[in-house]
Amino acid sequence: GESVGLHLPTLSVQEGDNSIINCAYSNSASDYFIWYKQESGKGPQFIIDIRSNMDKRQGQRVTVLLNKTVKHLSLQIAATQPGDSAVYFCAENIPRHKLIFGSGTRLLVRP
Amino acid sequence: NAGVTQTPKFQVLKTGQSMTLQCAQDMNHNSMYWYRQDPGMGLRLIYYSASEGTTDKGEVPNGYNVSRLNKREFSLRLESAAPSQTSVYFCASRIIQGTEAFFGQGTRLTVV
């Protein structure tokens, strides 16, 4: 299938460890943020989101942290599994409906 | 419930040819988007439609046109394809801004 993530930064983690993926966003007016997971040959899939009036949001095995002061977003994955191997993108909602994606990080999980 | 459906899934064009990529969603979403993803890269916004009857340019609109045909359908047209437009094209939709967007499976376009 289509190869995603050839030139993207790569994070390699041991199965069972925690993963932290970082993202810098561009627009201080952005009011909503989303993390997506993309597997090879597929479209992006929603993982978790956070609004700009929050600092942290937790889901099942995933946590998103938002630091508006430095325009930084992170995705933490607990107990990383082989099925978590994929490319991860953050996206920011710029007011007036634009949804802009960051450059992405490839996560490799070592057995 | 099909979600977001893109056609065709694969296409090869010769330089200078035109074509239209189709996108339809059955979730009654208001906003629709077209992105392109070059190999090893992120998604870049081409055009979007916040609601039926409106369209706006995204980050990389040059060489493309769009039509929001109705609430369900949002098409992307390449009038004169160029090799630089070789990419995977994704359509997405969401009910309103401030909610997650759902993506189609992509159209893999090669311009030779």
Side-chain angles (χ1 to χ4, degrees):
Chain A
E2 183 69 31
S3 182
V4 174
L6 284 175
H7 307 296
L8 299 173
T10 298
L11 174 66
S12 180
V13 301
Q14 192 74 36
E15 181 179 354
D17 287 351
N18 296 335
S19 303
I20 300 176
I21 299 171
N22 296 303
C23 175
Y25 63 93
S26 61
N27 196 312
S28 56
S30 295
D31 55 5
Y32 173 69
F33 305 88
I34 312 171
W35 278 101
Y36 282 94
K37 174 185 181 182
Q38 187 179 29
E39 296 172 317
S40 188
K42 296 184 178 180
Q45 292 180 290
F46 172 85
I47 303 173
I48 191 168
D49 58 2
I50 188 168
R51 302 197 184 281
S52 59
N53 60 355
M54 302 170 69
D55 297 322
K56 179 179 179 179
R57 190 162 189 227
Q58 289 184 290
Q60 187 178 9
R61 278 203 310 121
V62 293
T63 300
V64 55
L65 299 177
L66 175 62
N67 185 331
K68 295 182 289 294
T69 302
V70 294
K71 292 190 287 186
H72 183 267
L73 204 62
S74 69
L75 176 70
Q76 301 177 2
I77 304 173
T80 312
Q81 302 169 0
D84 295 327
S85 292
V87 178
Y88 290 81
F89 294 100
C90 67
E92 60 182 301
N93 186 91
I94 300 173
R96 297 196 68 194
H97 305 277
K98 279 189 181 179
L99 187 62
I100 302 296
F101 278 71
S103 55
T105 297
R106 182 168 168 241
L107 176 64
L108 285 177
V109 182
R110 304 188 305 272
Chain B
N1 195 349
V4 179
T5 302
Q6 293 183 233
T7 54
K9 288 186 170 49
F10 301 91
Q11 184 71 49
V12 179
L13 288 179
K14 293 182 179 179
T15 298
Q17 286 185 318
S18 62
M19 81 162 293
T20 299
L21 281 65
Q22 306 288 352
C23 175
Q25 52 90 9
D26 61 3
M27 296 174 283
N28 201 34
H29 286 173
N30 292 301
S31 302
M32 297 185 73
Y33 302 80
W34 275 107
Y35 293 88
R36 61 176 288 173
Q37 184 175 32
D38 299 333
M41 304 289 285
L43 287 84
R44 291 184 291 170
L45 181 63
I46 305 172
Y47 270 93
Y48 65 103
S49 170
S51 61
E52 186 179 357
T54 69
T55 60
D56 284 286
K57 294 179 180 179
E59 301 170 281
V60 289
N62 291 345
Y64 304 95
N65 285 301
V66 290
S67 295
R68 184 74 184 266
L69 305 168
N70 48 54
K71 191 171 185 179
R72 289 186 64 247
E73 298 173 288
F74 188 38
S75 63
L76 178 71
R77 183 160 178 84
L78 287 71
E79 290 291 351
S80 179
S84 61
Q85 294 178 304
T86 293
S87 191
V88 180
Y89 291 84
F90 287 101
C91 177
S93 71
R94 59 180 178 172
I95 186 134
I96 54 171
Q97 73 165 338
T99 60
E100 67 179 281
F102 294 82
F103 282 80
Q105 289 301 295
T107 294
R108 287 150 180 78
L109 176 67
T110 302
V111 183
V112 297

